[in-house]
Amino acid sequence: MPLGEFDIIARYFARNTARRDVLLGVGDDAALLLPPAGQALVAATDTLVEGRHFLAGTPAAALGHQALAVNLSDLAAMGAEPAWALLSLSLPQANERWLSAFAEGLHALAERHGVALVGGDTVAGPLVITVEILGFVPPAEALRRSGAGKGDLVIVSGAPGVAAAGLEELQAGRLTFDAKDARVRRFLRAEPRLALGRALRGVATAAMDVSDGLLGDLGKLAQASGLRACIDLERLPIAPELAGYPLAEQERLVLHGGDDYELLFTLPSDHFGLIPRLAEAAGCSLRCIGTMVAGAGVECRRDGAAVDVTGSGYDHFAS
Ligand code: ADP
Ligand code: MG
């Protein structure tokens, strides 16, 4: 007998949570949640559509991870602490193997970050996954895109581009989803930088997560802050996974690759000495790649001279 909507919810998505601020979770008409006094509620949502945001045939466990991870990354970029998630799932069919793996991927990441799944919606239709995430941040310490100041340092976490390299291997058919290759693993299971987001509270002047590519996203931060970002190409962090690529390919992947969930942020220049401590608190490397200056847009320099780096971040409505 095929699984009904209520069986799916009960079997895969209704889980007990240790969170005391969930007065009522999955099962009633709506969840009842108790936000902590004095904190701002931070809310974000992201949708994954098959064929658009993920390749057909992507392992279900990776999709469960990614659907939540993209949202956690948005909260990390705000300096927020995630608390509750809602899941809206449109499924072509109720396949138990798929559902069980998907739920496993999602719950594993949720548990690592203390997030409770408190509700959602389950319907039949094309494969579309929407997660909404809710969390908290002290209102004065929230990290916005708009706060960068002239002279601030531009810093990026980790080494973006590895996930994009993995995606390209999959798209070209050179590697399969079950490959042990580090690029493919990163693409399927990148970890959002929540510890870094927390460490940057009240320290970074502006922050955002890299989801559409470093260059395009830095352009958004620069625009929101009313400044120009200048980056030095020779300072870009190159991941060991990309060591075998020609320099131009390394730069293309680092500048235009998304999906690593790295954070991009600005710091007043007199905070340069804080970077090692921030990196230690966050458990990741941090690299200063440039500075904010007067003007608009993003400028790339090599050995001090401006260079044209074509291509921009992924835009769903660009032709
Ligand atoms: P209603 O018809 O009142 O909207 P539903 O039948 O859609 O209720 O959902 C029943 C309960 O299950 C609700 O608490 C809802 O939030 C939860 N729920 C439904 N689908 C999911 C899902 N995919 N993940 C988590 N909770 C879900
Ligand atoms: Mg409903």
Side-chain angles (χ1 to χ4, degrees):
M1 221 187 68
L3 274 186
E5 176 190 335
F6 300 103
D7 303 316
I8 293 175
I9 298 166
R11 195 172 301 179
Y12 300 109
F13 300 117
R15 290 233 177 147
N16 290 329
T17 172
R19 290 194 73 96
R20 306 274 302 275
D21 54 11
V22 179
L23 305 183
L24 202 51
V26 172
D28 213 300
D29 294 303
L32 269 182
L33 309 166
L34 204 60
Q39 303 254 335
L41 189 63
V42 186
T45 186
D46 253 308
T47 296
L48 302 182
V49 178
E50 185 175 46
R52 182 92 212 188
H53 305 98
F54 61 92
L55 307 170
T58 302
L63 287 178
H65 174 94
Q66 287 172 355
L68 182 59
V70 285
N71 283 281
L72 289 175
S73 180
D74 283 327
L75 258 63
M78 299 302 293
E81 182 80 43
W84 311 309
L86 293 109
L87 167 69
S88 167
L89 201 52
S90 166
L91 292 172
Q93 71 259 321
N95 176 319
E96 292 191 50
R97 281 231 328 259
W98 190 94
L99 275 161
S100 155
F102 174 84
E104 200 41 58
L106 186 136
H107 288 303
L109 180 61
E111 276 161 26
R112 278 207 290 289
H113 294 287
V115 171
L117 183 64
V118 296
D121 201 18
T122 306
V123 300
L127 185 54
V128 178
I129 307 158
T130 302
V131 168
E132 178 176 16
I133 187 92
L134 297 162
F136 324 115
V137 70
E141 296 185 352
L143 307 171
R144 304 166 194 238
R145 298 178 178 186
S146 56
K150 218 190 295 177
D152 282 2
L153 308 171
V154 177
I155 296 161
V156 67
S157 66
V162 178
L167 172 61
E168 288 180 4
E169 293 307 300
L170 293 169
Q171 281 172 324
R174 287 188 294 267
L175 289 170
T176 53
F177 288 112
D178 58 357
K180 297 281 181 283
D181 184 272
R183 296 163 297 175
V184 171
R185 294 341 297 163
R186 175 79 62 81
F187 172 67
L188 293 175
R189 300 287 187 125
E191 279 289 329
R193 299 286 192 196
L194 287 149
L196 176 58
R198 277 191 295 267
L200 294 178
R201 281 182 184 177
V203 178
T205 48
M208 67 183 299
D209 67 329
V210 180
S211 53
D212 298 334
L214 181 57
L215 209 55
D217 285 335
L218 184 54
K220 293 175 197 165
L221 188 149
Q223 186 177 25
S225 295
L227 291 172
R228 177 173 180 81
C230 269
I231 63 173
D232 298 310
L233 296 176
E234 60 272 14
R235 291 156 89 180
L236 292 176
I238 305 295
E241 291 86 347
L242 302 184
Y245 288 68
L247 177 67
E249 285 291 282
Q250 292 175 337
E251 286 182 353
R252 179 183 63 80
L253 288 163
V254 176
L255 292 174
H256 304 295
D259 301 310
D260 298 276
Y261 310 130
E262 296 298 355
L263 295 187
L264 187 59
F265 60 95
T266 54
L267 269 189
S269 57
D270 58 357
H271 286 19
F272 183 78
L274 277 184
I275 295 176
R277 245 182 299 153
L278 287 171
E280 197 183 333
C284 64
S285 60
L286 297 176
R287 177 73 66 87
C288 178
I289 58 169
T291 1
M292 302 301 294
V293 299
V298 180
E299 180 181 315
C300 293
R301 292 183 302 206
R302 192 189 308 283
D303 305 320
V307 291
D308 182 32
V309 186
T310 45
S312 59
Y314 187 62
D315 180 339
H316 288 260
F317 297 101
S319 53

